[in-house]
Amino acid sequence: MYKRQFADKSWFSDTNAQVLADVSNGEVQGSGVAVSEARWDILAASMGYSTFTEGEYTEDAHTILGNMVGVAANPPEPAGTVEVTETTVSPGSNAEVTLQTDVSNVTGYEATIEFDPEKLQVEDVSGEDMADPVVEIDNENGVLFLTQAQAQGADAPEMASIEFEVVDMDTGEEADVSLMGEESAVYDPTGSAYLTNWDNGHVTVLDGQLGDVNADGEITAGDAVIVQRHIAGLPTEVPDDQIEMLGDVNQDGQITSADVTYILQIVAGIEEPPEMNAADAQSSVTAPSVESTATPSAPAL
């Protein structure tokens, strides 16, 4: 980096970035250049560029520093998104979310997921389009680590399903299930990490009354219409998962004409609105909507 033996050097240590060059004066003092795979940025010490080396700084050093700026300022486009799905459950039910990606040719992954241990506890983790992952569950601190690898690439795989026990959440309450992008990665067939976005999910406990399908606070014939259209496969302005949870008034696990009749009987005053039966209630999954961060493979300088 510079020509003189005596110089004002600096260095860094204790980094989880990929170290590309050390600072040395016959003996390694510390790290001089590193690339962070988790943040697509460059770590660099002064490497002797000071008043002691004025005029002695090499052209190679200028080139290296220029390359650093170019790499840090121009990250590649992400290959896709890795996400934890959102789920809505009825009171007393377990919650299931999926770790999935739209990236093609995925041969492996590792993911660190954080959650609130006062609200959620991991009960089970299983593979979906890939084999059951190797997992480390820390329910005390609310951290789940899971990883898996295979020889053949999978396109847009659902990598794993995670079942949570909902331990202490009120109706309408949410609990985040957060992917830690800096500690997670999906891999291509060469063993390199893809640059990806990361989307978090959450678990929501349903706040609603069976029969009040549109959740407007009243059970009316309009709710029966929504269920009828859902059965017929016609579009409604109410999400399907909400219809399937609030429209299953007799709680038999199906949306049928019997539920329509039950709703109309409630409207007519013949029947009372039923209480939610946690044992029979179903959970549902929707698309995630949390801000993401990027995690790349290491660039070459």
Side-chain angles (χ1 to χ4, degrees):
M1 296 296 293
Y2 48 85
K3 299 175 182 178
R4 297 175 62 171
Q5 291 296 312
F6 177 77
D8 179 19
K9 301 175 185 175
S10 65
W11 54 86
F12 55 88
S13 59
D14 298 326
T15 177
N16 58 6
Q18 180 183 357
V19 176
L20 303 181
D22 291 320
V23 175
S24 174
N25 188 10
E27 181 179 342
V28 173
Q29 304 296 310
S31 301
V33 181
V35 177
S36 170
E37 295 187 15
R39 298 179 298 275
W40 196 261
D41 59 15
I42 307 297
L43 308 178
S46 69
M47 296 167 290
Y49 198 8
S50 72
T51 55
F52 289 98
T53 57
E54 187 69 31
E56 301 291 334
Y57 211 54
T58 67
E59 288 301 316
D60 286 343
H62 286 294
T63 300
I64 291 171
L65 290 174
N67 288 344
M68 290 179 188
V69 173
V71 167
N74 297 284
E77 288 295 319
T81 299
V82 182
E83 63 191 17
V84 174
T85 56
E86 299 175 358
T87 185
T88 301
V89 298
S90 59
S93 297
N94 281 4
E96 185 174 296
V97 298
T98 301
L99 176 65
Q100 62 188 31
T101 182
D102 59 3
V103 176
S104 298
N105 211 13
V106 174
T107 56
Y109 69 90
E110 55 200 34
T112 299
I113 295 173
E114 292 188 349
F115 54 92
D116 186 344
E118 295 185 358
K119 297 179 179 180
L120 302 172
Q121 293 280 283
V122 176
E123 283 212 340
D124 186 54
V125 182
S126 58
E128 294 292 333
D129 295 332
M130 302 178 74
D132 288 347
V134 176
V135 301
E136 182 179 4
I137 301 171
D138 183 356
N139 275 327
E140 182 177 353
N141 295 302
V143 180
L144 168 66
F145 176 80
L146 59 162
T147 184
Q148 187 52 271
Q150 60 188 35
Q152 297 295 323
D155 291 338
E158 292 185 355
M159 295 173 285
S161 176
I162 305 161
E163 182 181 354
F164 288 102
E165 178 189 4
V166 180
V167 292
D168 187 17
M169 292 177 64
D170 296 327
T171 57
E173 190 173 359
E174 291 183 356
D176 291 334
V177 182
S178 302
L179 259 174
M180 308 307 292
E182 294 187 2
E183 302 174 20
S184 306
V186 291
Y187 292 91
D188 66 19
T190 71
S192 298
Y194 285 107
L195 175 65
T196 60
N197 294 320
W198 300 88
D199 280 356
N200 301 328
H202 61 253
V203 173
T204 303
V205 176
L206 180 68
D207 184 12
Q209 168 68 56
L210 285 172
D212 182 14
V213 182
N214 60 7
D216 65 354
E218 298 181 283
I219 299 176
T220 67
D223 296 299
V225 170
I226 293 169
V227 175
Q228 283 276 38
R229 290 181 64 84
H230 180 79
I231 294 170
L234 299 173
T236 74
E237 294 184 358
V238 179
D240 286 346
D241 61 336
Q242 184 171 317
I243 297 173
E244 290 164 5
M245 298 185 74
L246 296 180
D248 183 15
V249 189
N250 62 11
Q251 299 182 83
D252 64 354
Q254 304 176 74
I255 302 293
T256 67
S257 58
D259 296 300
V260 176
T261 300
Y262 201 151
I263 291 173
L264 293 175
Q265 289 174 334
I266 294 171
V267 174
I270 299 171
E271 295 286 352
E272 291 293 324
E275 295 294 326
M276 187 80 74
N277 183 348
D280 295 333
Q282 304 293 311
S283 65
S284 58
V285 176
T286 61
S289 59
V290 181
E291 293 298 321
S292 62
T293 57
T295 296
S297 56
L301 295 179

